[in-house]
Amino acid sequence: MRKFKFGILATVILLLLAACGNEGNGSSGDILSSLQDKGQVKVGFANEKPYAYEEDGELKGAAVDIAKAIFKNLGVEEVDGHLSDFQQLIPGLNAGKFDVITAGMAITPDRCTNVAFGEPEMKYGEGLIVESGNPMKLHSYQDIAANPEITVAVMSGATEKAFLLAEGVAESQITMVPDIPASFSAVESGRAHATTGTEMTIKMALESSNQDKLEFVNDFEQPNIEGVPSYGAAAFRQDNEALKDAYNAELKKLKASGELAAIIEPYGFTEEMNVVALEVTTESICSGENY
């Protein structure tokens, strides 16, 4: 009898544990059906124009609009945005705070070990911002590397730190900051001589800041290194393959119809420069073939 009671108790405990696991992240159930039933998807984003940002209480951006179009086609009408520091997006996703990340996040082999990226949505290069007049004559990462007195501010969690190191910039020359405004502040205050980030992000951020103390380096030389150009994509938990596959299927339709180009063009992107060739896949980027 005691064995029988113990068996019943063990079964109940297992059922409760399974239920708790499903409630948190939907890993054992059909998460897409759950999102469709709720009519809402939780999206993690970093405040980074033009990929994803909050303006007047509304979630906007190229990556956001792509996600909105796809989830609408999947029967999920509402995108519930959750603002996070860029470096906290992947931990937040894996902790179940969001269902998906949509932030134009670059696919990298390292990140591929922690999340399941959707297929690439857009590609982009790097940019550099300096003090007005560019007194240090900086036109490339190699220019920074050539002068050990030069310091550069980089947003925490961004790929640019690795790019700078690959171009010979010393670790001691790099100052990490939490976000784009902080990187601008570092240059304005003299704590750094330059800041770098994805080209469209820092260019648009500078334009919207409406100040003349800094300038965008228009003749910046793109580094010839792994990871450039970068390919941005949505990211999912690794146990949400079904959701990722459904997302990818709708993304493929947007690419084929030309609607993807129409979605991103209002944010300054172009089909020629930023739409990803079909032969460039997430698998090929994660493996290093197209990284």
Side-chain angles (χ1 to χ4, degrees):
M1 179 64 70
R2 280 166 45 185
K3 288 182 178 179
F4 178 71
K5 288 181 177 178
F6 178 78
I8 292 175
L9 179 61
T11 300
V12 170
I13 291 172
L14 286 172
L15 289 172
L16 287 172
L17 288 173
C20 290
N22 289 342
E23 182 181 0
N25 56 30
S27 62
S28 301
D30 185 347
I31 187 171
L32 179 55
S33 293
S34 174
L35 297 179
Q36 290 168 334
D37 289 342
K38 291 186 294 186
Q40 182 188 82
V41 57
K42 292 181 180 179
V43 170
F45 73 100
N47 216 27
E48 186 178 0
K49 289 185 177 182
Y51 304 97
Y53 59 98
E54 194 171 45
E55 187 174 84
D56 299 327
E58 183 181 353
L59 185 56
K60 299 180 179 180
V64 170
D65 285 359
I66 293 170
K68 284 181 177 179
I70 289 175
F71 278 109
K72 183 176 181 179
N73 291 341
L74 290 172
V76 183
E77 293 287 337
E78 183 183 349
V79 170
D80 178 22
H82 291 254
L83 178 63
S84 176
D85 287 342
F86 189 85
Q87 63 181 336
Q88 293 302 317
L89 286 173
I90 289 178
L93 176 70
N94 288 328
K97 293 182 178 179
F98 336 118
D99 302 306
V100 59
I101 294 170
T102 179
M105 178 178 284
I107 305 169
T108 72
D110 283 346
R111 287 173 179 164
C112 290
T113 64
N114 293 312
V115 296
F117 280 104
E119 289 301 320
E121 298 174 356
M122 64 189 85
K123 66 177 179 178
Y124 46 82
E126 301 305 305
L128 190 70
I129 285 179
V130 296
E131 184 184 345
S132 291
N134 198 0
M136 306 305 293
K137 308 301 180 188
L138 302 176
H139 302 280
S140 68
Y141 289 161
Q142 291 182 345
D143 287 344
I144 297 172
N147 185 345
E149 300 299 318
I150 298 294
T151 55
V152 55
V154 179
M155 183 173 67
S156 295
T159 53
E160 281 73 26
K161 180 179 180 180
F163 296 161
L164 288 162
L165 293 173
E167 287 284 83
V169 178
E171 182 100 30
S172 60
Q173 293 178 262
I174 303 172
T175 299
M176 305 308 296
V177 295
D179 51 31
I180 297 298
S183 72
F184 287 1
S185 177
V187 181
E188 287 182 56
S189 65
R191 290 183 290 111
H193 297 92
T195 182
T196 184
T198 58
E199 181 180 9
M200 289 298 295
T201 296
I202 60 174
K203 188 174 184 178
M204 289 189 69
L206 182 60
E207 289 174 355
S208 63
S209 68
N210 194 30
Q211 54 94 354
D212 56 7
K213 295 180 180 179
L214 307 178
E215 73 175 50
F216 182 82
V217 180
N218 288 308
D219 59 350
F220 176 72
E221 299 172 19
Q222 292 293 324
N224 184 23
I225 55 176
E226 286 187 342
V228 180
S230 297
Y231 296 94
F236 305 82
R237 286 189 293 276
Q238 290 181 331
D239 58 2
N240 283 349
E241 286 288 326
L243 179 60
K244 183 196 73 173
D245 291 345
Y247 187 97
N248 280 340
E250 293 300 326
L251 176 62
K252 186 176 181 180
K253 294 176 186 177
L254 293 184
K255 289 180 177 181
S257 68
E259 189 177 347
L260 180 67
I263 289 173
I264 66 175
E265 282 175 356
Y267 294 97
F269 298 102
T270 66
E271 183 171 7
E272 294 76 19
M273 295 295 294
N274 304 108
V275 172
V276 183
L278 292 176
E279 60 266 23
V280 179
T281 65
T282 293
E283 182 179 359
S284 71
I285 301 168
C286 289
S287 69
E289 179 185 347
N290 279 310
Y291 182 73

